[in-house]
Amino acid sequence: MHTGVFFHPLFSKKEWPIIGNKFRRFPELLQDLLKLSRIQLFAPPEATSQLLSKVHTLQFLTDVQEEWYYQGAALSAGGSVEACEKVFTGELQNAFVFSVAAGHHAGPSYGWGGTYLSCSGPAVFNLREKYGRKKVAIIDTDAHHGDGTRAIFSGDPLTLHACFCSESLTEEDGSKICVDTIGQLSDNEYLEKIRSHFSTLVEKFEPEIIIHLMGHDTCKGDYGDRGLSPSFFPRAVEELKSLAEKICGGRLVVISMGGAKAELAENIIPQVIKTLAQRNEKEA
Ligand SMILES: [Zn+2]
Ligand SMILES: [Zn+2]
């Protein structure tokens, strides 16, 4: 089965809030990878207002629709929706979604920090609308607290939200946790935190799909620097991919979040896509 890559040409044509034009060399930079028959490129559609209104208030949507970055945000949300649906139904094995002006700081009635529509919210609501009350696990390894995602899924025991940020806490019935990653960590130390805090939890939770909100702002030299090296990111995705293979048929969708350094995006993202597309041992 294929790995889907969701990228719209508009993403490389503007200076987006916070992340700038870090995708300026995409998708050309993926040319060699895209020649592999296991990787398929999709230009996402905009998420519909009908679906977005399940997650965001009408007043907030009306305000965001007037902003210059709306189309980018709606295409990012649309890519997330389509990727999660194709992976859920088995049309794709897993997927990587490029995202601009959308992500984890967008809550029901607000958006900030460069993100003005939710990506995971519409994706999960779409799955629920079409396929019933499915369990979903979201892991957020951006440097910052995913306040918007947390607010959208608050009170929803079917969505596990594990956010790696600056504090340690467990909320509600244990389906909402934050893991402290403050300070400078080695790649191995961060990976160990994923294993001990997320992997064990997700094995008990038994979701049908895992969504990874992957910021590279945590990389050395970017604005949320946690001391991580570029090779941490494919290793983290490898870890989540094995976990997904073990518990949910390999269904994993990685969505890009923060990080503004183009050279880091150019280094990290192709490695992550390559990792997603690598055959697992059973298939080989
Ligand atoms: Zn961030
Ligand atoms: Zn958090």
Side-chain angles (χ1 to χ4, degrees):
M1 266 200 293
H2 290 82
T3 291
V5 173
F6 292 77
F7 182 89
H8 193 280
L10 182 71
F11 294 170
S12 57
K13 293 192 172 56
K14 291 187 185 197
E15 288 287 330
W16 300 101
I18 306 286
I19 64 171
N21 193 0
K22 70 172 174 179
F23 299 138
R24 59 185 168 238
R25 293 184 61 211
F26 288 91
E28 291 73 20
L29 205 73
L30 301 175
Q31 224 165 27
D32 289 342
L33 274 179
L34 290 171
K35 283 184 196 141
L36 301 175
S37 58
R38 294 174 61 82
I39 303 181
Q40 208 179 338
L41 183 66
F42 296 86
E46 286 186 28
T48 63
S49 305
Q50 185 265 342
L51 182 57
L52 291 171
S53 68
K54 307 260 178 211
V55 174
H56 298 295
T57 62
L58 283 177
Q59 183 57 57
F60 174 66
L61 274 181
T62 309
D63 293 345
V64 183
Q65 276 160 356
E66 283 165 17
E67 300 291 344
W68 65 269
Y69 45 71
Y70 179 76
Q71 197 189 357
L75 290 166
S76 305
S80 306
V81 169
E82 206 167 274
C84 286
E85 183 164 354
K86 285 184 191 301
V87 169
F88 182 78
T89 59
E91 190 181 329
L92 293 171
Q93 178 63 68
N94 53 35
F96 184 86
V97 182
F98 286 81
S99 148
V100 301
H104 70 167
H105 296 308
S109 59
Y110 58 87
W112 65 284
T115 69
Y116 306 98
L117 289 175
S118 175
C119 288
S120 53
V124 173
F125 277 73
N126 176 59
L127 289 183
R128 299 242 167 99
E129 215 168 62
K130 292 183 177 160
Y131 307 102
R133 292 165 56 76
K134 303 297 174 191
K135 276 196 201 170
V136 177
I138 301 172
I139 174 169
D140 184 337
T141 61
D142 185 277
H144 304 97
H145 176 60
D147 58 330
T149 313
R150 178 63 51 92
I152 287 169
F153 292 108
S154 166
D156 170 8
L158 296 181
T159 305
L160 175 69
H161 181 232
C163 166
F164 288 65
C165 56
S166 310
E167 50 185 336
S168 282
L169 56 88
T170 301
E171 287 182 334
E172 300 180 10
D173 54 355
S175 65
K176 311 288 177 284
I177 65 161
C178 284
V179 179
D180 174 9
T181 59
I182 218 154
Q184 295 285 295
L185 297 169
S186 70
D187 295 0
N188 286 337
E189 282 168 332
Y190 199 118
L191 284 169
E192 192 40 48
K193 279 182 187 277
I194 293 180
R195 285 184 201 117
S196 55
H197 294 278
F198 182 68
S199 304
T200 44
L201 197 60
V202 96
E203 279 178 38
K204 262 192 263 157
F205 188 74
E206 299 182 314
E208 297 194 51
I209 186 168
I210 298 175
I211 299 175
H212 178 199
L213 305 180
M214 190 200 81
H216 62 73
D217 51 350
T218 49
C219 193
K220 227 175 276 169
D222 217 320
Y223 60 73
D225 193 335
R226 292 285 196 267
L228 300 173
S229 80
S231 56
F232 161 79
F233 300 87
R235 286 181 69 197
V237 167
E238 175 73 57
E239 181 78 28
L240 296 175
K241 191 183 162 198
S242 309
L243 191 62
E245 276 156 12
K246 194 166 150 195
I247 56 174
C248 55
R251 291 191 286 272
L252 172 67
V253 173
V254 182
I255 306 174
S256 73
M257 289 287 127
K261 287 240 158 73
E263 59 272 31
L264 290 179
E266 290 162 10
N267 180 341
I268 291 164
I269 291 173
Q271 289 194 65
V272 165
I273 294 172
K274 198 173 166 189
T275 302
L276 286 171
Q278 254 151 16
R279 284 170 196 277
N280 63 31
E281 280 158 31
K282 269 181 267 160
E283 285 180 288

mmCIF file of all heavy atoms in Angstrom, residues 178-213:
data_model
loop_
_atom_site.group_PDB
_atom_site.id
_atom_site.type_symbol
_atom_site.label_atom_id
_atom_site.label_comp_id
_atom_site.label_asym_id
_atom_site.label_seq_id
_atom_site.Cartn_x
_atom_site.Cartn_y
_atom_site.Cartn_z
ATOM 1 N N CYS A 178 -0.311 15.921 29.196
ATOM 2 C CA CYS A 178 0.800 16.734 28.713
ATOM 3 C C CYS A 178 2.074 16.162 29.317
ATOM 4 O O CYS A 178 2.073 15.718 30.468
ATOM 5 C CB CYS A 178 0.648 18.195 29.128
ATOM 6 S SG CYS A 178 -0.586 19.077 28.150
ATOM 7 N N VAL A 179 3.127 16.151 28.550
ATOM 8 C CA VAL A 179 4.410 15.622 28.991
ATOM 9 C C VAL A 179 5.445 16.737 28.884
ATOM 10 O O VAL A 179 5.587 17.366 27.833
ATOM 11 C CB VAL A 179 4.834 14.415 28.106
ATOM 12 C CG1 VAL A 179 6.182 13.870 28.544
ATOM 13 C CG2 VAL A 179 3.774 13.320 28.133
ATOM 14 N N ASP A 180 6.122 16.961 29.977
ATOM 15 C CA ASP A 180 7.117 18.033 30.060
ATOM 16 C C ASP A 180 8.365 17.701 29.229
ATOM 17 O O ASP A 180 9.019 16.687 29.463
ATOM 18 C CB ASP A 180 7.461 18.180 31.549
ATOM 19 C CG ASP A 180 8.579 19.159 31.790
ATOM 20 O OD1 ASP A 180 8.988 19.849 30.841
ATOM 21 O OD2 ASP A 180 9.027 19.227 32.942
ATOM 22 N N THR A 181 8.665 18.576 28.261
ATOM 23 C CA THR A 181 9.890 18.374 27.465
ATOM 24 C C THR A 181 10.785 19.611 27.555
ATOM 25 O O THR A 181 11.572 19.891 26.646
ATOM 26 C CB THR A 181 9.560 18.113 25.976
ATOM 27 O OG1 THR A 181 8.830 19.238 25.474
ATOM 28 C CG2 THR A 181 8.757 16.856 25.785
ATOM 29 N N ILE A 182 10.620 20.335 28.642
ATOM 30 C CA ILE A 182 11.334 21.610 28.755
ATOM 31 C C ILE A 182 12.842 21.383 28.897
ATOM 32 O O ILE A 182 13.277 20.342 29.379
ATOM 33 C CB ILE A 182 10.729 22.428 29.930
ATOM 34 C CG1 ILE A 182 10.705 23.902 29.549
ATOM 35 C CG2 ILE A 182 11.431 22.165 31.239
ATOM 36 C CD1 ILE A 182 9.635 24.665 30.273
ATOM 37 N N GLY A 183 13.607 22.359 28.439
ATOM 38 C CA GLY A 183 15.068 22.267 28.520
ATOM 39 C C GLY A 183 15.634 21.634 27.264
ATOM 40 O O GLY A 183 14.970 21.531 26.241
ATOM 41 N N GLN A 184 16.883 21.201 27.369
ATOM 42 C CA GLN A 184 17.563 20.598 26.227
ATOM 43 C C GLN A 184 17.607 19.081 26.416
ATOM 44 O O GLN A 184 18.013 18.588 27.457
ATOM 45 C CB GLN A 184 18.992 21.148 26.124
ATOM 46 C CG GLN A 184 19.021 22.641 25.830
ATOM 47 C CD GLN A 184 18.669 22.950 24.380
ATOM 48 O OE1 GLN A 184 19.395 22.586 23.462
ATOM 49 N NE2 GLN A 184 17.552 23.618 24.152
ATOM 50 N N LEU A 185 17.136 18.371 25.419
ATOM 51 C CA LEU A 185 17.070 16.917 25.521
ATOM 52 C C LEU A 185 17.891 16.302 24.399
ATOM 53 O O LEU A 185 17.976 16.872 23.307
ATOM 54 C CB LEU A 185 15.625 16.441 25.366
ATOM 55 C CG LEU A 185 14.610 16.901 26.426
ATOM 56 C CD1 LEU A 185 13.200 16.572 25.965
ATOM 57 C CD2 LEU A 185 14.889 16.219 27.745
ATOM 58 N N SER A 186 18.428 15.120 24.672
ATOM 59 C CA SER A 186 19.065 14.391 23.579
ATOM 60 C C SER A 186 17.949 13.698 22.788
ATOM 61 O O SER A 186 16.827 13.526 23.291
ATOM 62 C CB SER A 186 20.053 13.349 24.119
ATOM 63 O OG SER A 186 19.336 12.299 24.743
ATOM 64 N N ASP A 187 18.248 13.294 21.559
ATOM 65 C CA ASP A 187 17.257 12.572 20.749
ATOM 66 C C ASP A 187 16.734 11.359 21.513
ATOM 67 O O ASP A 187 15.541 11.087 21.547
ATOM 68 C CB ASP A 187 17.882 12.104 19.427
ATOM 69 C CG ASP A 187 18.291 13.269 18.526
ATOM 70 O OD1 ASP A 187 18.083 14.433 18.924
ATOM 71 O OD2 ASP A 187 18.807 13.003 17.420
ATOM 72 N N ASN A 188 17.668 10.625 22.150
ATOM 73 C CA ASN A 188 17.267 9.409 22.874
ATOM 74 C C ASN A 188 16.378 9.712 24.065
ATOM 75 O O ASN A 188 15.449 8.963 24.355
ATOM 76 C CB ASN A 188 18.508 8.632 23.336
ATOM 77 C CG ASN A 188 19.180 7.927 22.164
ATOM 78 O OD1 ASN A 188 18.546 7.660 21.139
ATOM 79 N ND2 ASN A 188 20.470 7.655 22.309
ATOM 80 N N GLU A 189 16.676 10.807 24.762
ATOM 81 C CA GLU A 189 15.843 11.162 25.922
ATOM 82 C C GLU A 189 14.403 11.490 25.489
ATOM 83 O O GLU A 189 13.438 11.095 26.131
ATOM 84 C CB GLU A 189 16.440 12.374 26.661
ATOM 85 C CG GLU A 189 17.619 12.012 27.524
ATOM 86 C CD GLU A 189 18.399 13.234 28.035
ATOM 87 O OE1 GLU A 189 18.403 14.297 27.362
ATOM 88 O OE2 GLU A 189 19.017 13.110 29.096
ATOM 89 N N TYR A 190 14.274 12.222 24.377
ATOM 90 C CA TYR A 190 12.926 12.563 23.895
ATOM 91 C C TYR A 190 12.204 11.300 23.437
ATOM 92 O O TYR A 190 11.042 11.077 23.757
ATOM 93 C CB TYR A 190 13.011 13.600 22.769
ATOM 94 C CG TYR A 190 11.708 14.345 22.517
ATOM 95 C CD1 TYR A 190 11.606 15.726 22.680
ATOM 96 C CD2 TYR A 190 10.553 13.667 22.102
ATOM 97 C CE1 TYR A 190 10.413 16.405 22.452
ATOM 98 C CE2 TYR A 190 9.359 14.343 21.868
ATOM 99 C CZ TYR A 190 9.298 15.710 22.047
ATOM 100 O OH TYR A 190 8.118 16.371 21.822
ATOM 101 N N LEU A 191 12.920 10.436 22.704
ATOM 102 C CA LEU A 191 12.301 9.181 22.235
ATOM 103 C C LEU A 191 11.837 8.334 23.420
ATOM 104 O O LEU A 191 10.772 7.710 23.374
ATOM 105 C CB LEU A 191 13.300 8.376 21.392
ATOM 106 C CG LEU A 191 13.516 8.907 19.970
ATOM 107 C CD1 LEU A 191 14.721 8.213 19.330
ATOM 108 C CD2 LEU A 191 12.276 8.706 19.103
ATOM 109 N N GLU A 192 12.617 8.349 24.479
ATOM 110 C CA GLU A 192 12.262 7.592 25.673
ATOM 111 C C GLU A 192 10.973 8.156 26.292
ATOM 112 O O GLU A 192 10.122 7.406 26.784
ATOM 113 C CB GLU A 192 13.432 7.620 26.666
ATOM 114 C CG GLU A 192 13.327 6.655 27.819
ATOM 115 C CD GLU A 192 12.782 5.270 27.451
ATOM 116 O OE1 GLU A 192 13.261 4.683 26.469
ATOM 117 O OE2 GLU A 192 11.854 4.787 28.151
ATOM 118 N N LYS A 193 10.816 9.474 26.226
ATOM 119 C CA LYS A 193 9.575 10.089 26.743
ATOM 120 C C LYS A 193 8.371 9.645 25.903
ATOM 121 O O LYS A 193 7.293 9.391 26.421
ATOM 122 C CB LYS A 193 9.681 11.622 26.725
ATOM 123 C CG LYS A 193 10.446 12.188 27.914
ATOM 124 C CD LYS A 193 10.473 13.708 27.851
ATOM 125 C CE LYS A 193 11.372 14.303 28.928
ATOM 126 N NZ LYS A 193 10.712 14.446 30.243
ATOM 127 N N ILE A 194 8.558 9.554 24.598
ATOM 128 C CA ILE A 194 7.465 9.073 23.733
ATOM 129 C C ILE A 194 7.100 7.648 24.124
ATOM 130 O O ILE A 194 5.932 7.315 24.306
ATOM 131 C CB ILE A 194 7.860 9.152 22.232
ATOM 132 C CG1 ILE A 194 8.018 10.608 21.791
ATOM 133 C CG2 ILE A 194 6.817 8.436 21.361
ATOM 134 C CD1 ILE A 194 8.403 10.801 20.330
ATOM 135 N N ARG A 195 8.137 6.820 24.300
ATOM 136 C CA ARG A 195 7.873 5.408 24.654
ATOM 137 C C ARG A 195 7.171 5.296 26.003
ATOM 138 O O ARG A 195 6.162 4.620 26.136
ATOM 139 C CB ARG A 195 9.187 4.624 24.717
ATOM 140 C CG ARG A 195 9.734 4.340 23.333
ATOM 141 C CD ARG A 195 10.990 3.471 23.382
ATOM 142 N NE ARG A 195 11.712 3.656 22.137
ATOM 143 C CZ ARG A 195 12.925 4.162 22.036
ATOM 144 N NH1 ARG A 195 13.616 4.510 23.107
ATOM 145 N NH2 ARG A 195 13.481 4.307 20.847
ATOM 146 N N SER A 196 7.713 5.981 27.005
ATOM 147 C CA SER A 196 7.173 5.752 28.348
ATOM 148 C C SER A 196 5.839 6.452 28.561
ATOM 149 O O SER A 196 5.023 5.973 29.346
ATOM 150 C CB SER A 196 8.182 6.142 29.424
ATOM 151 O OG SER A 196 8.588 7.468 29.235
ATOM 152 N N HIS A 197 5.580 7.569 27.882
ATOM 153 C CA HIS A 197 4.326 8.285 28.137
ATOM 154 C C HIS A 197 3.249 8.036 27.086
ATOM 155 O O HIS A 197 2.075 8.091 27.386
ATOM 156 C CB HIS A 197 4.574 9.790 28.240
ATOM 157 C CG HIS A 197 5.389 10.167 29.426
ATOM 158 N ND1 HIS A 197 4.855 10.313 30.676
ATOM 159 C CD2 HIS A 197 6.718 10.399 29.543
ATOM 160 C CE1 HIS A 197 5.812 10.627 31.537
ATOM 161 N NE2 HIS A 197 6.955 10.678 30.861
ATOM 162 N N PHE A 198 3.648 7.811 25.842
ATOM 163 C CA PHE A 198 2.628 7.652 24.803
ATOM 164 C C PHE A 198 2.418 6.189 24.425
ATOM 165 O O PHE A 198 1.286 5.696 24.417
ATOM 166 C CB PHE A 198 2.995 8.479 23.557
ATOM 167 C CG PHE A 198 1.954 8.398 22.459
ATOM 168 C CD1 PHE A 198 0.695 8.974 22.624
ATOM 169 C CD2 PHE A 198 2.235 7.748 21.267
ATOM 170 C CE1 PHE A 198 -0.264 8.892 21.623
ATOM 171 C CE2 PHE A 198 1.280 7.667 20.258
ATOM 172 C CZ PHE A 198 0.027 8.241 20.442
ATOM 173 N N SER A 199 3.502 5.485 24.142
ATOM 174 C CA SER A 199 3.367 4.124 23.621
ATOM 175 C C SER A 199 2.559 3.228 24.560
ATOM 176 O O SER A 199 1.644 2.528 24.133
ATOM 177 C CB SER A 199 4.741 3.524 23.348
ATOM 178 O OG SER A 199 5.448 4.376 22.459
ATOM 179 N N THR A 200 2.870 3.294 25.853
ATOM 180 C CA THR A 200 2.168 2.426 26.803
ATOM 181 C C THR A 200 0.685 2.812 26.886
ATOM 182 O O THR A 200 -0.194 1.953 26.915
ATOM 183 C CB THR A 200 2.793 2.523 28.212
ATOM 184 O OG1 THR A 200 3.046 3.893 28.483
ATOM 185 C CG2 THR A 200 4.085 1.758 28.293
ATOM 186 N N LEU A 201 0.437 4.118 26.895
ATOM 187 C CA LEU A 201 -0.941 4.614 26.995
ATOM 188 C C LEU A 201 -1.768 4.195 25.771
ATOM 189 O O LEU A 201 -2.906 3.754 25.864
ATOM 190 C CB LEU A 201 -0.871 6.146 27.075
ATOM 191 C CG LEU A 201 -2.077 6.910 27.561
ATOM 192 C CD1 LEU A 201 -2.427 6.486 28.977
ATOM 193 C CD2 LEU A 201 -1.781 8.411 27.528
ATOM 194 N N VAL A 202 -1.161 4.331 24.600
ATOM 195 C CA VAL A 202 -1.868 4.075 23.355
ATOM 196 C C VAL A 202 -2.139 2.568 23.183
ATOM 197 O O VAL A 202 -3.161 2.180 22.623
ATOM 198 C CB VAL A 202 -1.084 4.703 22.174
ATOM 199 C CG1 VAL A 202 -0.189 3.733 21.493
ATOM 200 C CG2 VAL A 202 -2.011 5.355 21.185
ATOM 201 N N GLU A 203 -1.261 1.747 23.714
ATOM 202 C CA GLU A 203 -1.495 0.303 23.630
ATOM 203 C C GLU A 203 -2.735 -0.098 24.420
ATOM 204 O O GLU A 203 -3.507 -0.955 24.003
ATOM 205 C CB GLU A 203 -0.262 -0.471 24.124
ATOM 206 C CG GLU A 203 0.798 -0.556 23.043
ATOM 207 C CD GLU A 203 2.056 -1.273 23.489
ATOM 208 O OE1 GLU A 203 1.954 -2.254 24.230
ATOM 209 O OE2 GLU A 203 3.149 -0.831 23.079
ATOM 210 N N LYS A 204 -2.950 0.585 25.550
ATOM 211 C CA LYS A 204 -4.144 0.310 26.353
ATOM 212 C C LYS A 204 -5.385 0.925 25.701
ATOM 213 O O LYS A 204 -6.466 0.382 25.751
ATOM 214 C CB LYS A 204 -3.972 0.919 27.752
ATOM 215 C CG LYS A 204 -3.499 -0.112 28.773
ATOM 216 C CD LYS A 204 -3.622 0.439 30.178
ATOM 217 C CE LYS A 204 -2.272 0.990 30.639
ATOM 218 N NZ LYS A 204 -2.317 1.969 31.683
ATOM 219 N N PHE A 205 -5.207 2.091 25.087
ATOM 220 C CA PHE A 205 -6.330 2.846 24.530
ATOM 221 C C PHE A 205 -6.894 2.184 23.269
ATOM 222 O O PHE A 205 -8.082 2.272 22.982
ATOM 223 C CB PHE A 205 -5.850 4.272 24.229
ATOM 224 C CG PHE A 205 -6.937 5.216 23.817
ATOM 225 C CD1 PHE A 205 -7.837 5.719 24.745
ATOM 226 C CD2 PHE A 205 -7.057 5.624 22.484
ATOM 227 C CE1 PHE A 205 -8.841 6.587 24.357
ATOM 228 C CE2 PHE A 205 -8.055 6.494 22.081
ATOM 229 C CZ PHE A 205 -8.947 6.981 23.025
ATOM 230 N N GLU A 206 -6.032 1.525 22.517
ATOM 231 C CA GLU A 206 -6.410 0.840 21.278
ATOM 232 C C GLU A 206 -7.184 1.694 20.279
ATOM 233 O O GLU A 206 -8.342 1.406 19.960
ATOM 234 C CB GLU A 206 -7.226 -0.434 21.607
ATOM 235 C CG GLU A 206 -6.437 -1.435 22.440
ATOM 236 C CD GLU A 206 -7.221 -2.713 22.729
ATOM 237 O OE1 GLU A 206 -8.401 -2.607 23.117
ATOM 238 O OE2 GLU A 206 -6.649 -3.796 22.552
ATOM 239 N N PRO A 207 -6.530 2.746 19.781
ATOM 240 C CA PRO A 207 -7.186 3.592 18.770
ATOM 241 C C PRO A 207 -7.226 2.888 17.415
ATOM 242 O O PRO A 207 -6.521 1.892 17.220
ATOM 243 C CB PRO A 207 -6.264 4.810 18.695
ATOM 244 C CG PRO A 207 -4.920 4.246 18.990
ATOM 245 C CD PRO A 207 -5.146 3.155 20.012
ATOM 246 N N GLU A 208 -8.025 3.422 16.510
ATOM 247 C CA GLU A 208 -8.060 2.844 15.157
ATOM 248 C C GLU A 208 -7.142 3.583 14.194
ATOM 249 O O GLU A 208 -6.906 3.143 13.073
ATOM 250 C CB GLU A 208 -9.500 2.829 14.650
ATOM 251 C CG GLU A 208 -10.336 1.931 15.548
ATOM 252 C CD GLU A 208 -11.671 1.588 14.962
ATOM 253 O OE1 GLU A 208 -11.718 1.143 13.801
ATOM 254 O OE2 GLU A 208 -12.669 1.765 15.671
ATOM 255 N N ILE A 209 -6.663 4.741 14.640
ATOM 256 C CA ILE A 209 -5.720 5.511 13.813
ATOM 257 C C ILE A 209 -4.905 6.406 14.755
ATOM 258 O O ILE A 209 -5.397 6.808 15.815
ATOM 259 C CB ILE A 209 -6.485 6.339 12.750
ATOM 260 C CG1 ILE A 209 -5.547 7.050 11.763
ATOM 261 C CG2 ILE A 209 -7.448 7.338 13.383
ATOM 262 C CD1 ILE A 209 -6.249 7.645 10.541
ATOM 263 N N ILE A 210 -3.654 6.667 14.374
ATOM 264 C CA ILE A 210 -2.821 7.605 15.145
ATOM 265 C C ILE A 210 -2.530 8.819 14.266
ATOM 266 O O ILE A 210 -2.136 8.677 13.097
ATOM 267 C CB ILE A 210 -1.485 6.948 15.594
ATOM 268 C CG1 ILE A 210 -1.764 5.759 16.526
ATOM 269 C CG2 ILE A 210 -0.581 7.978 16.279
ATOM 270 C CD1 ILE A 210 -0.507 4.970 16.937
ATOM 271 N N ILE A 211 -2.745 10.005 14.837
ATOM 272 C CA ILE A 211 -2.421 11.260 14.139
ATOM 273 C C ILE A 211 -1.249 11.900 14.879
ATOM 274 O O ILE A 211 -1.298 12.083 16.098
ATOM 275 C CB ILE A 211 -3.627 12.222 14.137
ATOM 276 C CG1 ILE A 211 -4.823 11.589 13.408
ATOM 277 C CG2 ILE A 211 -3.254 13.563 13.478
ATOM 278 C CD1 ILE A 211 -6.110 12.416 13.470
ATOM 279 N N HIS A 212 -0.196 12.199 14.146
ATOM 280 C CA HIS A 212 0.997 12.810 14.754
ATOM 281 C C HIS A 212 1.126 14.253 14.286
ATOM 282 O O HIS A 212 1.328 14.505 13.092
ATOM 283 C CB HIS A 212 2.239 11.990 14.328
ATOM 284 C CG HIS A 212 3.533 12.544 14.849
ATOM 285 N ND1 HIS A 212 4.743 12.225 14.301
ATOM 286 C CD2 HIS A 212 3.805 13.385 15.886
ATOM 287 C CE1 HIS A 212 5.711 12.847 14.971
ATOM 288 N NE2 HIS A 212 5.169 13.563 15.930
ATOM 289 N N LEU A 213 0.998 15.198 15.197
ATOM 290 C CA LEU A 213 1.219 16.603 14.877
ATOM 291 C C LEU A 213 2.707 16.871 15.117
ATOM 292 O O LEU A 213 3.161 16.931 16.249
ATOM 293 C CB LEU A 213 0.333 17.496 15.751
ATOM 294 C CG LEU A 213 -1.172 17.181 15.689
ATOM 295 C CD1 LEU A 213 -1.973 18.111 16.596
ATOM 296 C CD2 LEU A 213 -1.710 17.258 14.266
#
